[in-house]
Amino acid sequence: MMGSYGMGGGGFLMMLVIGALIVVPFWRLLPRFGIPNWVAILAIFPLVALILLWIMAFKDQIDERRA
């Protein structure tokens, strides 16, 4: 019964794909808002992703030097 958590054979692969689809855009956008890249890894948690979106939405200036 080890490994049978109800996700099937491709569940882990699907989780990796969804995680990549969330992390990669944050990884590209966060430096433009003055936030380090590594914070994008935390965006796999929905609450953290929502907080990051709010920070990016209400940030007054975008760092133009890196854009």
Side-chain angles (χ1 to χ4, degrees), residues 32-49:
R32 295 181 185 179
F33 292 92
I35 302 170
N37 285 347
W38 62 267
V39 178
I41 296 170
L42 299 175
I44 59 173
F45 302 108
L47 184 61
V48 176

Side-chain angles (χ1 to χ4, degrees), residues 14-36:
M14 199 61 170
M15 284 177 48
L16 284 176
V17 169
I18 291 172
L21 288 174
I22 293 171
V23 169
V24 171
F26 276 108
W27 192 273
R28 299 283 312 265
L29 287 172
L30 289 178
R32 295 181 185 179
F33 292 92
I35 302 170

Side-chain angles (χ1 to χ4, degrees), residues 3-12:
S4 63
Y5 294 109
M7 294 190 67
F12 183 71

